[in-house]
Amino acid sequence: MAVNLKGRSFLTLMDFTPEEIRYLLDLSKDLKAKKRAGIEGNALKGKNIVLLFEKTSTRTRCAFEVACVDEGGHVTFLDSNSSQFGKKESVEDSAKVFGRFYDGIEYRGYKQELVESLAKHAGVPVWNGLTDVDHPTQILADLLTIEEHIAKPLNKVKVVFCGDIRNNMSYAWMIGCAKMGMHYVAYGPAKLAEEIDKDFLEKVQAVAKETGATIEISSTPECLKNADVLYTDVWASMGEEAQIPEKVAMLTPYKVTAEMLSATENDDVIFLHCLPAFHDFETAMAKSQMELGYDIREVTDEVFRSRHSKVFDEAENRMHTIKAVIVATIS
Ligand code: CP
Ligand code: NVA
């Protein structure tokens, strides 16, 4: 049956079949080719979307804005200080109001339940731009980047996520790999492995069983062997900055280094990172933490700038994949 996602919210890849994810990736490729060829789109002509950001963003916000405008739509951006949302007006009431004005709503913030509640009440598609436990639009961009750089079908690809294996990116990756029949290894300290939600893991393993995916958790470097993708993310996610001392102590052995790339025994291994990344001391945060004695770099500058690193292709793909999500779901 032909895939039709009109009117659907995009809250987590868990809600989508492998065929639907395939459809979004193929649509992303078409839209990227169209943009490269300079062909103007009009799929969102006369449509309005609102972007709600309770956490900061560069890529996700810019991707939604450019994607929408490229297709002829209009965008309103609201951060946590510039609306009544969440402070003077409930999520339910706000969702109902936004649903009267807009054809789609993007939300970035804390609780997954909040984005679900928006979707329940808005009457228009809601897109998850990152919560504490998921980042589904990022995974679409990552899958597209993998398909562009690795000459194997996704179900033959091994991804090793190094570091904070219980964060939103690691969770999102578990879902993405399970859905697409991939091999995922969460490589990080046993203490963090224990913190991974058991019910969530059970659900992911049930999906993996259906698709032939392998979802593993490991604390030993042997798991790096034959990896096609080494992935990492910041050690302290937005809102978790107080954990920096503890995380630096725990995660320094999982910093992505040239030795780690070699340990994959795969000369074509690629390095991916959702960004923003700490790979040098050119940021106020890396600098100030170093002054306090904490080296928060999750990847070396050498790896970040190496031929293996595809992080800026990946960042660009945020826009093409987010465009696909908006175009596919807006009615
Ligand atoms: N990868 C990502 O979501 O980046 P931003 O935080 O800049 O949106
Ligand atoms: N884990 C990171 C991802 C940023 C895109 C965070 O939530 O801050």
Side-chain angles (χ1 to χ4, degrees):
M1 215 170 70
V3 170
N4 179 358
L5 302 179
K6 294 288 174 210
R8 288 268 297 274
S9 284
F10 187 80
L11 307 179
T12 169
L13 284 179
M14 205 57 137
D15 296 340
F16 290 79
T17 64
E19 293 70 32
E20 289 169 339
I21 297 169
R22 178 77 265 150
Y23 170 84
L24 287 169
L25 290 173
D26 290 344
L27 180 59
S28 307
K29 285 179 193 169
D30 289 350
L31 292 167
K32 183 171 180 175
K34 199 169 95 175
K35 170 111 177 169
R36 289 276 160 92
I39 302 166
E40 224 170 275
N42 62 2
L44 302 175
K45 196 165 182 287
K47 304 292 182 188
N48 295 284
I49 71 169
V50 64
L51 312 182
L52 307 174
F53 278 84
E54 295 200 292
K55 289 177 178 169
T56 51
S57 167
T58 298
R59 278 143 291 271
T60 310
R61 174 189 175 174
C62 298
F64 269 96
E65 293 212 13
V66 173
C68 182
V69 170
D70 270 0
E71 289 293 327
H74 297 273
V75 185
T76 303
F77 172 80
L78 296 175
D79 66 20
S80 54
N81 299 316
S82 47
S83 79
Q84 316 286 19
F85 176 63
K87 293 188 291 283
K88 281 180 74 181
E89 196 159 34
S90 68
V91 175
E92 178 176 348
D93 292 358
S94 300
K96 287 174 177 166
V97 173
F98 290 134
R100 297 291 178 107
F101 283 72
Y102 295 102
D103 302 287
I105 301 168
E106 182 276 354
Y107 171 80
R108 165 174 286 198
Y110 296 87
K111 298 259 171 272
Q112 182 73 14
E113 293 73 29
L114 201 150
V115 76
E116 284 165 5
S117 177
L118 274 175
K120 184 171 167 208
H121 298 291
V124 296
V126 173
W127 309 297
N128 182 353
L130 179 146
T131 61
D132 287 342
V133 295
D134 212 336
H135 197 6
T137 62
Q138 180 70 51
I139 297 299
L140 279 187
D142 298 344
L143 294 176
L144 179 62
T145 311
I146 289 172
E147 290 199 325
E148 289 173 344
H149 288 284
I150 297 177
K152 284 185 192 179
L154 288 178
N155 64 1
K156 298 272 183 272
V157 170
K158 176 176 177 181
V159 177
V160 180
F161 183 100
C162 313
D164 188 4
I165 55 174
R166 39 102 280 171
N167 79 2
N168 44 10
M169 276 314 312
S170 178
Y171 274 46
W173 259 117
M174 282 189 237
I175 302 169
C177 285
K179 287 282 176 177
M180 301 316 277
M182 299 165 73
H183 185 173
Y184 178 82
V185 184
Y187 174 45
K191 184 170 184 303
L192 292 185
E194 278 163 28
E195 289 177 26
I196 297 173
D197 186 287
K198 302 283 176 300
D199 292 344
F200 170 80
L201 209 49
E202 225 169 82
K203 282 186 198 138
V204 161
Q205 293 293 12
V207 175
K209 208 169 165 194
E210 278 173 31
T211 63
T214 304
I215 307 295
E216 292 179 305
I217 300 169
S218 174
S219 298
T220 52
E222 286 71 35
C223 72
L224 295 164
K225 197 174 168 192
N226 297 329
D228 297 293
V229 181
L230 288 194
Y231 201 103
T232 194
D233 184 10
V234 292
W235 290 343
S237 288
M238 288 179 274
E240 298 181 346
E241 288 75 10
Q243 297 176 13
I244 285 175
E246 186 197 354
K247 286 288 189 57
V248 168
M250 231 191 307
L251 293 174
T252 299
Y254 301 90
K255 185 193 294 280
V256 179
T257 59
E259 292 68 40
M260 241 193 224
L261 290 181
S262 302
T264 65
E265 297 179 26
N266 175 7
D267 193 45
D268 296 325
V269 64
I270 64 169
F271 170 72
L272 295 179
H273 190 308
C274 54
L275 305 184
F278 294 118
H279 58 94
D280 56 20
F281 294 101
E282 297 301 314
T283 60
M285 192 156 163
K287 235 184 262 174
S288 62
Q289 289 297 332
M290 200 59 228
E291 280 160 20
L292 296 170
Y294 304 116
D295 180 350
I296 61 171
R297 292 171 303 163
E298 68 274 2
V299 54
T300 62
D301 204 41
E302 184 188 10
V303 169
F304 190 85
R305 296 178 190 277
S306 72
R307 69 179 170 87
H308 300 279
S309 177
K310 306 299 175 197
V311 295
F312 295 108
D313 290 342
E314 182 187 10
E316 178 191 330
N317 283 338
R318 296 299 310 287
M319 199 281 286
H320 304 298
T321 44
I322 280 174
K323 190 185 280 180
V325 170
I326 305 175
V327 166
T329 56
I330 271 194
S331 298

